[in-house]
Amino acid sequence: MSVEVRSTKLKFKGEKTKKKRKREEGEEGSSSRRRRGEEDDQPDTWVRPDQAAEIRGPTFIFQPSDRSPICINYDSTRGKIMLQPLDKEAVEETKETSLTERVPTDVSQVWVTTRVAGSPTVNLRTGVGEGKFLSCDKHGLVSADREARGPEEEWTPVVFDDGMVAFMNVYEKYLSVDEVAGGQLQLRGDSEEAGFRERFYVKIQNRYKKEAHEEKKLKEGMLGEASMDEVSTNKIYQAWGQARSVVSHEDRKALKKAKKEGRLAEAMLDRRAKLKSDRFC
């Protein structure tokens, strides 16, 4: 005797029954790719910078060391920089993750990168504690115990073709991972060349990468106000007699000033009247 099994799912009167659709071959791969693309587009997603100008905001710095991958941490309790093995703190979800896909799992692994607008150098500040700056003295000693920024707290990031980043200090030496007595690892800042120990993987949040792109476009005039081409403007609005156009340094400065003050049309009319009077005098 067969027993009919009824679904326990609640249904409301008038609700239409949805038909299940079989997943076609290859559809699963496309949906997963689309899902990954959506995740990569999220503001808080950790991504690798393509240019030095993109390195800003929360920053995750790690390196494929000879022994095991390590990241630069700051121990706020002891006030010291620590080089922590990534595999030691790896959780089940990240054990099978490739090195370039690693993301920070603790706030002590995150540094905050700031820069002065237009400057190639950056400052690296601890993300925990009172916010101390990463610095390097003339002897190559690296520390994070200064609350104010100065020349020794400035770093110039250099992005290589393989996507790895080197940090050069004010003395034109590179930040590196050095092995000291007892097999301990520590940061140094006295390397002359950017080799394997001087290169790091850097990850930033996607929102700051997009912000850098927007600033670049704005600087190039793609998103901001269109630059004023006096020659073209004169030909359209002020040309007469075989489209004669007069351009001078003084007029250019005057028009730019008038544009900032919101009286560009008035200034151009005054200039046209002046040019006509000079012509017939």
Side-chain angles (χ1 to χ4, degrees):
M1 181 177 178
S2 61
V3 179
E4 183 180 356
V5 180
R6 296 185 179 182
S7 174
T8 57
K9 182 180 178 182
L10 293 176
K11 291 185 179 180
F12 296 92
K13 185 178 180 180
E15 182 181 0
K16 295 182 179 180
T17 304
K18 294 183 179 179
K19 295 182 179 179
K20 293 185 178 180
R21 184 172 63 91
K22 292 183 179 180
R23 188 182 299 275
E24 297 179 0
E25 185 178 355
E27 186 176 350
E28 184 176 357
S30 61
S31 62
S32 61
R33 285 194 299 269
R34 183 167 59 253
R35 188 162 53 251
R36 284 198 302 268
E38 291 174 355
E39 291 176 355
D40 291 343
D41 198 46
Q42 294 299 317
D44 296 333
T45 302
W46 291 92
V47 295
R48 294 171 61 186
D50 299 319
Q51 302 173 4
E54 297 173 0
I55 303 177
R56 60 181 68 191
T59 307
F60 178 43
I61 306 173
F62 57 106
Q63 188 195 65
S65 177
D66 294 329
R67 306 175 188 172
S68 63
I70 57 174
C71 65
I72 303 178
N73 287 32
Y74 178 74
D75 188 340
S76 59
T77 304
R78 290 183 287 180
K80 292 178 59 177
I81 300 173
M82 306 294 292
L83 297 178
Q84 176 184 344
L86 284 176
D87 293 338
K88 181 179 179 181
E89 297 295 330
V91 294
E92 293 297 329
E93 292 79 2
T94 60
K95 283 183 179 179
E96 302 300 327
T97 305
S98 64
L99 179 60
T100 56
E101 294 178 352
R102 293 289 184 90
V103 296
T105 56
D106 190 86
V107 68
S108 63
Q109 300 173 343
V110 179
W111 297 75
V112 180
T113 304
T114 57
R115 65 168 68 233
V116 178
S119 173
T121 61
V122 300
N123 301 112
L124 294 168
R125 194 179 76 245
T126 60
V128 294
E130 300 176 356
K132 304 295 181 66
F133 290 95
L134 184 71
S135 63
C136 181
D137 63 14
K138 61 182 180 180
H139 303 294
L141 298 177
V142 179
S143 61
D145 54 6
R146 300 183 183 180
E147 298 180 356
R149 69 189 77 186
E152 291 187 346
E153 286 71 48
E154 293 182 354
W155 300 89
T156 303
V158 181
V159 181
F160 295 93
D161 294 337
D162 59 0
M164 300 191 76
V165 181
F167 293 93
M168 185 172 64
N169 58 29
V170 68
Y171 302 105
E172 298 185 353
K173 303 293 179 63
Y174 292 97
L175 183 70
S176 66
V177 176
D178 187 32
E179 185 172 350
V180 296
Q184 296 292 324
L185 298 178
Q186 69 174 16
L187 286 180
R188 294 283 303 177
D190 52 3
S191 293
E192 299 284 349
E193 298 179 355
F196 175 76
R197 293 190 174 186
E198 290 74 31
R199 301 190 183 197
F200 301 85
Y201 285 117
V202 173
K203 279 199 167 184
I204 57 173
Q205 291 186 331
N206 195 31
R207 69 177 67 187
Y208 295 97
K209 186 172 184 176
K210 289 184 177 180
E211 180 183 284
H213 287 186
E214 296 295 329
E215 287 186 3
K216 183 180 179 181
K217 290 179 181 179
L218 185 62
K219 187 176 181 181
E220 293 174 352
M222 295 178 64
L223 295 180
E225 295 181 357
S227 58
M228 184 170 53
D229 185 355
E230 188 181 4
V231 176
S232 301
T233 305
N234 285 346
K235 286 183 179 180
I236 296 174
Y237 299 105
Q238 298 188 14
W240 66 87
Q242 299 180 355
R244 182 173 64 89
S245 179
V246 179
V247 180
S248 66
H249 180 67
E250 291 77 15
D251 289 337
R252 188 187 301 274
K253 290 178 61 177
L255 289 176
K256 285 186 177 180
K257 181 179 179 182
K259 185 178 181 181
K260 290 182 179 180
E261 296 174 355
R263 52 181 187 84
L264 178 60
E266 180 183 353
M268 294 181 72
L269 289 174
D270 292 341
R271 182 171 178 272
R272 181 176 183 180
K274 180 177 180 297
L275 289 174
K276 281 187 175 181
S277 63
D278 293 341
R279 180 187 177 190
F280 294 106
C281 285

